[in-house]
Amino acid sequence: IGQEWGADSQYTIGLTGLSLLAFANAEHKSNFAAYLKTVENATRFILENQNADGSFGPSINNRLYNQGIATVALFKVNENYPNLIPTDCLKQAIKYITLSQNNMGGWGYSNEKNNSNTAISIWQIHSLILAKQYGFSGLEDSIKSNLSWLKKMTDKNGVMGYRKPNDFPYGQDGLVAMSGIFWLYEDQLLSDSNDETFEFKLKFQEDLEKIAM
């Protein structure tokens, strides 16, 4: 599918994860049975491509794209299709993410260990928050560290840059959309957050609305 639509085959894991998210987040539970076979096939493909260290797919410089998207997708599948994914696989995926976090609090390309970018980091922090909600422990410091870094990447209007505020080497809309997906998914994050975090989320929602208009 990836090559047919022009994507590099090294991102097949990530593309499969994005597709899987669409089925795993089906709006009506009555559709879950109809999608079961598709969900099972996509989930099996991702799990079959998990390496011993918990990573997914080939060892490439930007493998964390595959990692984050696949991990988010697996947790979302687990919400609506219980017992389909071994807990150990989820734990290994999260372990790889936490070990890949750099001193800045973010994530980036493997050859730039201390140079984070928001496009990669969004998927990793989303994975960690889902894991925490699922009951995984010991993730609080990693989550707080990244949220602190993400705020530093955001300008006064709530727009997130790539490596710093107002940094958009590949355009602004994609970053706003990806970060917006994260914030709009995670309503539970607000239960133990302060007013600043709540205001931060609202700014993301406003940015998404501007794009949609």
Side-chain angles (χ1 to χ4, degrees), residues 10-82:
Q10 66 184 358
Y11 298 119
T12 301
I13 293 292
L15 290 170
T16 301
L18 288 173
S19 302
L20 184 54
L21 276 171
F23 291 97
N25 285 289
E27 184 177 358
H28 303 293
K29 288 187 177 295
S30 59
N31 290 330
F32 289 171
Y35 298 149
L36 179 58
K37 196 65 177 177
T38 298
V39 170
E40 286 180 337
N41 288 340
T43 300
R44 182 171 60 252
F45 174 79
I46 291 175
L47 293 178
E48 287 176 350
N49 283 276
Q50 186 174 32
N51 303 305
D53 62 358
S55 65
F56 294 102
S59 179
I60 54 177
N61 187 35
N62 44 7
R63 68 188 308 175
L64 283 171
Y65 279 118
N66 285 332
Q67 186 70 21
I69 295 171
T71 304
V72 168
L74 292 179
F75 272 104
K76 289 297 181 178
V77 167
N78 203 59
E79 287 181 8
N80 295 319
Y81 300 87

Side-chain angles (χ1 to χ4, degrees), residues 79-113:
E79 287 181 8
N80 295 319
Y81 300 87
N83 305 316
L84 197 59
I85 302 167
T87 301
D88 283 348
C89 294
L90 295 174
K91 287 182 176 179
Q92 284 295 99
I94 291 298
K95 181 179 179 181
Y96 185 85
I97 289 173
T98 56
L99 291 176
S100 300
Q101 189 174 23
N102 60 41
N103 293 333
M104 298 172 63
W107 291 265
Y109 299 116
S110 59
N111 66 342
E112 301 176 351
K113 294 188 180 300

Side-chain angles (χ1 to χ4, degrees), residues 98-134:
T98 56
L99 291 176
S100 300
Q101 189 174 23
N102 60 41
N103 293 333
M104 298 172 63
W107 291 265
Y109 299 116
S110 59
N111 66 342
E112 301 176 351
K113 294 188 180 300
N114 288 312
N115 198 357
S116 307
N117 70 71
T118 52
I120 288 179
S121 294
I122 281 295
W123 292 103
Q124 318 312 314
I125 184 62
H126 195 167
S127 297
L128 294 185
I129 290 175
L130 289 173
K132 182 183 176 184
Q133 292 173 353
Y134 186 68

